Amino acid sequence: MSDRNTPRSHAKPACRATLSRRTLRWYQPVLVVAIATFGVLAYAQDTAAPRTATTTTAAIASANALATEAGFETLAQGGNAVDAAIAVATSLSVVQPEASGLGGGFLALIHDAATGKDTFIDAREMAPQAVREADYRKADGTPNRDTSLHGPLAAGIPGMPAGLAYMAGKYGKVPLAVSLRPAIRLADKGFHPSSPLVRSIGREAEVLRRYPASAGKFFPGGKAPQTTDIFRDPGQAATLKAIAERGADGFYKGAVAKELVRAVKASGGTWTLADLASYQAKERSPIELTYAGYKIVTAPPPSSGGVALAEMLNILAPIDLKSMDEAHRIHYLVEAMRRAFRDHNEYLGDPDFVKMPLDMLLSPYYADGLRQSILPEQATKSAWLPSVHAKDPGMHTTHYSIIDKDGNMVSMTATVNTTLGSGFVAGKTGVLLNNEMDDFALVSGQPNAFGLIGGSANAPVGGKRMLSSMTPSFVIGKDRLAVIGSPGGSTIITQVFEGILAFIDGKNAGEITAQKRIHHQFMPDRVDIESGSDIPADVLAKLKAMGYEINDKDSWGNMNVVVWDKTTNVKSAASDPRNPNGLGKVETIH
Ligand code: GLY
């Protein structure tokens, strides 16, 4: 698509082509953890195709150092990138429960170095069969934000345990008993809670204290934990052991399932044993596209992320961003974001339930039309483009990026939705349930926690998966590749978009995670610019003169990136500097 003929006016937009590198001034230099390796490369022929390589190092970047170390422990036990991802996921369930866990779900891309194939694991939560829209409305018909965000009605049937068991069985090398060992140890023996966990517990205290099992888990001895305390999670340790012994059945059938259903029903939820027994992780084909000679592999529905990313990159494909001054570069990025988000909620939902015009949305010809509607010197008003509306995005969820020594790769984003999910721990299981039901369009025309408004394509139906913005991705070039993703609700999509552009511009993992962010999501019709950005005042003035509302906004996202430069055979891993608890690390595996 990048080499297709496109209208001249868009190939060279009507802006001053100063060739200025000021466009990149808002990227900040950062530290990168990188270790050179001297393994033997065995390149395949195709330039942009994934290439098999043998190295001695593996790279993991996650939002918590204990989880990154758990991944390396599993690699040292003979595991591959998939096993390491399982160790990271389950460890984060223990040490970063505010973001993801057994009671939530995930979306993951896997690259199998032996076959060169990419695949996508959909372990998204699903609605219980008895879901009723009325449960999420007050008597006057207005949205009931409490039931959609708190307690068991807010929780979809979890996908994480099934997804991990599926990945281990089909793509892993070691049993779950090995990959779950670090998480079980962390839950049994305890750990020092991170400051974000301590802060999250404080912020959600009112909701957590409503439910005895939540209060028991998060306020041991009746007190909020401090970072110097040892925090143990014996309930979750027992559930992890059941999964380690019996795979998915350890969670979805038997004693754990009975306790989950008992606890949910006792607090007003509708889950049944049949809901749990029927949950299945699904393997789907990823979305693939090319941009600037790079192959992008990304998330298909039930994520909206890959479709939106493809739309944005297709819109920009023939535009020479490098030749633009900074104001025009931002202008084109924002107009691409605006148009992709207009479609985001309009068309997309669970592919097993709704028909989506994916051929249209992913088509470069469709993008040509969208590009032609961009005014070269003026902001488009979202109101001029008929459609849906949105408000502030949130910052939760977690992403990890992994490349093992054999070149297997995992890009995985996991979530319980908003901070500490529904706040509801299901009885003795120790499992904190998600509040992912809020990602459905529960009340038509009303925004969810991320300000996203869906239509009928994302209406709740028993057994259906709610739309996600999670966008785990691979960016694969001739010489370099990146494993990339981030949390942040609707901002995930624009973070990954800007991260991909930075990678293609030659940035390393640390620079990609650290660069300042901008975001536009159609509605509200404004450009969020991350506080501390070094976009010069004259550029902001120019954008305002074009008609943009500029909003200075506190930081968002928590990106974890791994980059592999095959020309030097150096892997680098970086965790978002906005999160002091993250760790990107490269290590030699013996
Ligand atoms: N719960 C956030 C997302 O999946 O987009």
Side-chain angles (χ1 to χ4, degrees):
M1 110 220 16
S2 51
D3 54 1
R4 290 176 51 248
N5 288 332
T6 48
R8 223 180 137 72
S9 61
H10 294 100
K12 293 198 183 304
C15 66
R16 278 161 298 287
T18 60
L19 291 172
S20 165
R21 296 300 292 175
R22 280 172 55 201
T23 53
L24 299 175
R25 281 175 62 163
W26 42 289
Y27 300 139
Q28 290 194 338
V30 292
L31 185 70
V32 182
V33 181
I35 297 176
T37 66
F38 303 97
V40 180
L41 292 181
Y43 288 143
Q45 296 305 307
D46 191 348
T47 49
R51 297 178 296 186
T52 307
T54 305
T55 64
T56 56
T57 59
I60 301 177
S62 90
N64 191 289
L66 294 169
T68 297
E69 297 296 0
F72 279 112
E73 180 180 327
T74 303
L75 292 175
Q77 302 283 311
N80 62 13
V82 169
D83 301 306
I86 293 166
V88 172
T90 47
S91 297
L92 288 174
S93 181
V94 178
V95 302
Q96 198 201 20
E98 69 272 29
S100 73
L102 294 182
F106 69 84
L107 302 177
L109 277 179
I110 297 175
H111 172 73
D112 181 2
T115 61
K117 293 231 161 58
D118 299 309
T119 192
F120 179 78
I121 309 299
D122 166 2
R124 184 71 166 154
E125 300 88 331
M126 71 175 194
Q129 288 300 331
V131 62
R132 296 184 323 151
E133 291 188 34
D135 285 334
Y136 305 99
R137 284 200 206 109
K138 294 182 188 155
D140 63 2
T142 57
N144 185 337
R145 303 299 298 146
D146 198 46
T147 53
S148 65
L149 287 171
H150 305 135
L153 279 173
I157 303 299
M160 180 172 275
L164 298 182
Y166 182 91
M167 280 167 63
K170 188 153 177 194
Y171 295 104
K173 274 174 70 184
V174 299
L176 286 170
V178 172
S179 53
L180 266 56
R181 200 176 286 151
I184 292 170
R185 192 176 58 239
L186 285 164
D188 264 340
K189 295 202 182 325
F191 59 97
H192 292 299
S194 70
S195 46
L197 174 55
V198 167
R199 270 198 308 275
S200 300
I201 292 170
R203 249 196 325 262
E204 301 299 320
E206 184 275 317
V207 175
L208 295 170
R209 286 194 188 276
R210 287 184 203 173
Y211 311 108
S214 308
K217 171 163 169 161
F218 290 109
F219 297 92
K223 284 205 321 248
Q226 303 302 309
T227 53
T228 46
D229 293 340
I230 299 288
F231 187 84
R232 292 191 178 82
D233 191 352
Q236 187 164 204
T239 299
L240 285 163
K241 284 173 197 165
I243 298 168
E245 279 162 25
R246 299 180 52 222
D249 283 357
F251 185 89
Y252 296 91
K253 293 178 181 163
V256 170
K258 282 187 190 141
E259 178 63 0
L260 287 168
V261 169
R262 184 205 64 73
V264 161
K265 285 209 156 134
S267 289
T270 66
W271 290 15
T272 63
L273 286 172
D275 283 324
L276 286 168
S278 68
Y279 185 87
Q280 296 210 314
K282 302 205 172 171
E283 188 162 357
R284 303 186 189 275
S285 297
I287 288 175
E288 285 186 12
L289 68 146
T290 54
Y291 174 81
Y294 285 78
K295 179 166 122 178
I296 318 283
V297 186
T298 187
S303 171
S304 57
V307 174
L309 188 62
E311 265 191 63
M312 292 189 285
L313 292 172
N314 284 345
I315 289 171
L316 296 183
I319 295 176
D320 183 6
L321 291 171
K322 286 205 174 86
S323 72
M324 292 181 179
D325 61 64
E326 188 164 7
H328 284 87
R329 183 180 196 267
I330 293 172
H331 169 57
Y332 276 89
L333 295 192
V334 168
E335 293 304 327
M337 292 175 188
R338 183 197 307 279
R339 283 155 181 76
F341 270 96
R342 189 196 74 95
D343 289 342
H344 174 281
N345 294 330
E346 188 79 3
Y347 297 110
L348 303 177
D350 182 343
D352 297 335
F353 280 74
V354 288
K355 270 199 158 50
M356 292 169 279
L358 290 185
D359 287 348
M360 175 188 91
L361 297 172
L362 297 173
S363 157
Y365 296 101
Y366 179 63
D368 286 347
L370 296 176
R371 189 183 321 108
Q372 287 188 18
S373 69
I374 299 176
L375 302 166
E377 298 294 334
Q378 193 186 344
T380 306
K381 294 287 169 213
S382 289
W384 300 344
L385 306 170
S387 198
V388 292
H389 308 276
K391 65 163 194 176
D392 285 347
M395 261 223 308
H396 325 282
T397 310
T398 196
H399 176 87
Y400 18 110
S401 295
I402 300 174
I403 306 180
D404 70 17
K405 67 181 173 50
D406 298 317
N408 300 299
M409 309 192 290
V410 176
S411 183
M412 184 154 164
T413 314
T415 186
V416 286
N417 200 24
T418 61
T419 304
L420 288 165
S422 66
F424 181 79
V425 172
K428 297 192 182 79
T429 67
V431 175
L432 175 70
L433 301 187
N434 67 85
N435 59 357
E436 220 68 64
M437 293 300 288
D438 190 63
D439 272 354
F440 277 120
L442 289 174
V443 179
S444 187
Q446 295 297 323
N448 72 2
F450 302 106
L452 298 169
I453 299 176
S456 55
N458 191 31
V461 175
K464 187 177 174 186
R465 293 165 194 228
M466 57 295 284
L467 193 62
S468 173
S469 299
M470 294 189 288
T471 316
S473 300
F474 299 144
V475 193
I476 301 157
K478 178 170 163 289
D479 297 324
R480 300 163 71 233
L481 61 82
V483 182
I484 185 167
S486 190
S490 48
T491 71
I492 292 172
I493 301 168
T494 52
Q495 288 180 62
V496 173
F497 170 60
E498 291 162 66
I500 288 172
L501 294 179
F503 173 70
I504 290 173
D505 272 356
K507 300 289 167 191
N508 61 37
E511 290 166 325
I512 294 165
T513 56
Q515 73 173 350
K516 290 291 180 180
R517 296 169 180 148
I518 62 172
H519 177 73
H520 190 289
Q521 60 175 51
F522 185 68
M523 283 291 183
D525 190 354
R526 66 164 192 238
V527 186
D528 292 330
I529 295 194
E530 188 175 358
S531 290
S533 158
D534 63 355
I535 298 175
D538 65 311
V539 171
L540 294 175
K542 206 183 258 182
L543 287 166
K544 282 180 191 158
M546 284 175 162
Y548 288 106
E549 181 189 332
I550 303 291
N551 179 45
D552 184 74
K553 193 165 191 293
D554 283 348
S555 291
W556 61 90
N558 192 356
M559 183 173 270
N560 286 291
V561 175
V562 168
V563 167
W564 185 4
D565 184 335
K566 295 203 177 175
T567 59
T568 55
N569 207 8
V570 171
K571 294 186 185 114
S572 58
S575 183
D576 200 314
R578 296 161 188 81
N579 166 28
N581 300 100
L583 177 63
K585 186 173 167 186
V586 181
E587 200 169 278
T588 301
I589 305 297
H590 299 289

